[in-house]
Amino acid sequence: MVALDPNGDHPQDPALDENNGVTSCFSSWVTNLRPEDVPPHVLERAKHLILDGIVCGLVGARVPWSEECVTSVLDFEPPGYCTVIGYEKSLGPLAAAVLNGSFIQATELDDYHSGAPLHSAAVVLPALFAATQVVAKSASQPRGVVSGLEFLLATVVGLETGPRAGLGCGGTDLLKRGWHSGPIFGCPAAAAASSKLLGLSADDLESAIGVACTQAGGLMAAQYEGMVKRVQHAFAARNGLFGALLCRNGYVGIKKVFERRYGGFLSMFSQGNGQTPQYDSRRVIEDLGSTWQLMNIRIKLYACVGGCHGQIEALAKLQATYPERFTVESLTRIKKIDVYLSGAIFAHDGWAPEERPMTETGAQMNAAYIGAVQLIDRQVLLAQFAASTLNRDEVWDLVYKTTCYHDTHFDKLHHVCGARVVVEFDDGAQVEETVDMPKGYDPPITDEEIRMKYRRLAASAIDPDRMEKIEKLVVGLENVEDVSELLDLLAAPTKRVLE
C-alpha cells in the first residue's frame, strides 16, 4: 500500500521520499572515506583513469578549438596560481578548471560511463588540480601540500559521485530529451571530490553539493556546430569547485538537494521522462562502498562519441568477414546502410546532417559520418576529424546513404552503445552485423591497455622523458608526497597534434 504524505496531498513513494536523508548520508560517506575502505583494485583502476584523463588533456590542449578558448579566456582573466595544462600560464582556480576540463574533453578520446553518461575525468581532474593549488595558497586553512594518496582518494569520490547522481536521475534518459547529461551529473561529482580534498565537514560538503547542483545544466544542441560542447563538462568542474570553495568556511548551500521534490536536483532534471517512479534518490547511495560505479567507466578507443563505438566495431567485423564487398573500390556499390541504435544514442547521434561539411564537433557526434570514415579509412581516430578531411566526396556519398533507427534491443543495461548495421548493395545482396557491447565492456579495457593508450597519445604531444615521468608519478600516486610535482609536469608546453 502506498502511504500519503503528512499533508495528504501526494502519494509517498519511497523512491521520492524527501526525508530519506540521502544527501546527508552520501556526504557523511564521502567525509569518512579512508584509503583502506577502497579495495586495492578500485584504487588501481582510479589511477589509470587519472592517467587516461591526463593524456586526453595533453593532446587536447593544442587542438585549434582549445587554442581559441585559451585566447579568449586569457583576454579577460587575470593571472593566478593554478596550472593550465600545456601552457606556461597560470590562472585563478575557476578559470583554470574551465580550460583544463575543456582540454580533456576536446578530442572525444576521454572516458564515459555506460549507465549514466558523463565524461568523469573532464569533470573531476580539473577541479582537483585547482583545489590542490588552493590548498598550497590558502591563508585561512594552511596545509601546505596535497599528497598523492589524498588526491587519489578524492578522485575516487568524484568518479563514484557522478554516475550515482546520474542513475538516480534515470541514467541515459536526459540524453533522449536533449540535455547534455555529463555537465549535469558532473556538478555534484566535482563538488564532492573538491570537498574531500579540501577537508570539508559532512555538513559543509552537503552545502557544496547543493551549490554545485543549482548551477547544473547543458544543452545537447551544442553538438551540431561551434566549439562550446568541448567546454560544457568543464562548466561542471568549475561549478563543483566553486561550491566547495564557497562552503568550506561555513557558507550554507541547498540541503537535501538529491531528495527534494520541489526544486530538487533529481526531481527537476527527471521531469517529463515518463518513468515510474520519475526518479529514485536511493540510487545515489545504493550499495555505497561495496559496488563501485567507477568500475563501469569505459575507456575510449575511438575519437568519437562513445555511443557509436558498437557501430564502428560492427562495420569492422563486416569488413573482415566480407573483404571483397568492402574494398575502397567496392564501396560505391553500396545502395544503403541502416544503423540500429539505442534510444539515447539514436536521439544523440542518429540525426541526418543538415549541412556539408559539418564542424569537427558535429562530425564526431554523427553516426552516419562516423560509419562512413570507418568504411573509407578503416579507423576512427583524431585524423578523421581534421578540418581538411571533413568534405571528402567518398565519405559524403556514404553519409547520404545512411539512415539510423531506434532499436529497443539496445536500451538494455550496458547495451546503450551497441548497434546493428545492415548494408545493402546494388546487386541486392545484404549483409549485417550486431555488436551488443563494444570493446571495453565485458571484459573491460585492462590497465595495461590504458597505459598503452597513454603512451601512444602522449608521444604525439610531449617528449619521451616527460611522458615517462608523468606515467611513473600517476601509477605510483599513493607514494607521491606532493602532487605539485605532477602539476609542474603538466604545465610545460605541449605540441600541436591537429591542424
Side-chain angles (χ1 to χ4, degrees):
M1 181 177 178
V2 177
L4 293 178
D5 285 344
N7 61 14
D9 290 339
H10 302 286
Q12 180 71 38
D13 186 323
L16 311 180
D17 181 7
E18 67 173 15
N19 296 307
N20 60 16
V22 162
T23 313
S24 175
C25 176
F26 184 77
S27 299
S28 295
W29 178 80
V30 170
T31 302
N32 295 323
L33 186 68
R34 301 165 300 172
E36 54 266 33
D37 299 326
V38 185
H41 75 280
V42 175
L43 289 174
E44 194 66 26
R45 190 62 166 186
K47 290 188 293 186
H48 285 81
L49 291 171
I50 292 170
L51 188 67
D52 189 71
I54 282 174
V55 77
C56 291
L58 291 168
V59 170
R62 290 289 180 176
V63 294
W65 44 94
S66 292
E67 293 177 338
E68 291 275 0
C69 192
V70 171
T71 299
S72 296
V73 170
L74 291 180
D75 195 43
F76 62 80
E77 280 288 342
Y81 55 82
C82 291
T83 295
V84 176
I85 297 172
Y87 292 83
E88 294 177 313
K89 302 283 185 181
S90 296
L91 293 171
L94 302 182
V98 168
L99 286 181
N100 289 332
S102 72
F103 298 163
I104 294 173
Q105 239 276 284
T107 61
E108 294 298 327
L109 283 163
D110 54 330
D111 64 62
Y112 65 102
H113 190 276
S114 57
L118 82 157
H119 304 286
S120 295
V123 169
V124 173
L125 295 185
L128 290 180
F129 291 156
T132 294
Q133 293 175 303
V134 168
V135 167
K137 293 289 184 178
S138 177
S140 62
Q141 300 177 22
R143 272 168 53 196
V145 301
V146 172
S147 72
L149 189 58
E150 289 174 307
F151 188 94
L152 178 59
L153 192 61
T155 301
V156 169
V157 164
L159 298 179
E160 277 298 295
T161 305
R164 289 178 171 276
L167 291 171
C169 199
T172 61
D173 173 73
L174 281 180
L175 275 179
K176 294 180 188 176
R177 293 186 289 123
W179 289 106
H180 194 179
S181 55
I184 295 170
F185 305 157
C187 287
S194 302
S195 296
K196 180 65 174 176
L197 188 125
L198 293 167
L200 271 64
S201 68
D203 190 52
D204 288 340
L205 192 151
E206 183 174 357
S207 282
I209 291 175
V211 171
C213 286
T214 198
Q215 302 173 79
L219 302 176
M220 205 59 256
Q223 70 180 10
Y224 297 115
E225 63 274 314
M227 303 174 181
V228 73
K229 191 267 178 188
R230 318 292 190 173
V231 190
Q232 291 185 169
H233 277 75
F235 293 159
R238 175 199 62 194
N239 296 344
L241 176 63
F242 178 69
L245 294 176
L246 187 64
C247 296
R248 67 178 176 150
N249 293 313
Y251 189 89
V252 180
I254 297 173
K255 299 296 186 179
K256 301 167 68 170
V257 74
F258 287 134
E259 59 266 33
R260 283 287 190 197
R261 284 203 306 274
Y262 178 75
F265 178 76
L266 302 182
S267 173
M268 296 310 295
F269 282 112
S270 62
Q271 287 193 4
N273 64 14
Q275 298 181 10
T276 303
Q278 180 180 312
Y279 61 92
D280 189 346
S281 61
R282 298 170 300 177
R283 296 208 66 183
V284 176
I285 58 171
E286 186 176 48
D287 298 325
L288 193 58
S290 58
T291 297
W292 296 89
Q293 285 297 327
L294 72 83
M295 300 303 292
N296 290 324
I297 293 174
R298 311 301 178 184
I299 300 298
K300 284 190 179 181
L301 300 177
Y302 315 103
C304 67
V305 61
C308 288
H309 288 200
Q311 174 197 358
I312 294 168
E313 292 176 15
L315 287 168
K317 287 186 176 183
L318 288 174
Q319 289 171 310
T321 305
Y322 306 99
E324 73 288 348
R325 289 279 184 184
F326 289 95
T327 65
V328 173
E329 296 76 20
S330 299
L331 294 179
T332 57
R333 300 195 61 187
I334 291 177
K335 182 178 178 181
K336 67 173 183 172
I337 304 168
D338 293 335
V339 180
Y340 297 86
L341 304 164
S342 67
I345 302 308
F346 172 69
H348 185 8
D349 311 309
W351 45 279
E354 296 176 357
E355 60 183 35
R356 172 185 174 180
M358 290 182 282
T359 64
E360 294 93 334
T361 303
Q364 288 179 297
M365 299 290 120
N366 183 258
Y369 185 91
I370 290 165
V373 296
Q374 170 60 34
L375 288 171
I376 296 291
D377 298 335
R378 293 180 176 261
Q379 63 181 21
V380 184
L381 301 176
L382 197 53
Q384 274 64 55
F385 303 98
S388 59
T389 70
L390 294 175
N391 202 27
R392 290 180 288 169
D393 289 338
E394 63 271 28
V395 169
W396 280 90
D397 178 61
L398 295 173
V399 168
Y400 292 137
K401 292 177 179 178
T402 302
T403 305
C404 296
Y405 302 91
H406 174 207
D407 186 338
T408 57
H409 170 78
F410 298 107
D411 293 338
K412 294 187 291 187
L413 183 65
H414 299 315
H415 285 50
V416 67
C417 296
R420 180 166 72 98
V421 178
V422 181
V423 181
E424 184 178 330
F425 295 87
D426 59 9
D427 62 358
Q430 184 173 286
V431 298
E432 69 174 85
E433 185 63 68
T434 298
V435 171
D436 284 332
M437 293 182 285
K439 294 174 185 175
Y441 277 68
D442 186 17
I445 300 298
T446 66
D447 292 343
E448 175 59 29
E449 287 172 318
I450 294 175
R451 292 196 296 274
M452 290 172 62
K453 174 186 172 183
Y454 166 80
R455 294 166 194 158
R456 185 176 67 253
L457 291 177
S460 68
I462 58 177
D463 64 76
D465 181 61
R466 184 176 165 200
M467 179 173 72
E468 184 178 349
K469 287 179 179 177
I470 291 171
E471 181 179 352
K472 183 177 180 180
L473 280 172
V474 175
V475 173
L477 199 54
E478 67 272 34
N479 301 313
V480 173
E481 293 183 3
D482 184 354
V483 177
S484 63
E485 184 180 356
L486 174 61
L487 294 175
D488 288 343
L489 286 167
L490 298 184
T494 57
K495 303 171 190 174
R496 202 173 198 208
V497 298
L498 185 68
E499 296 300 327

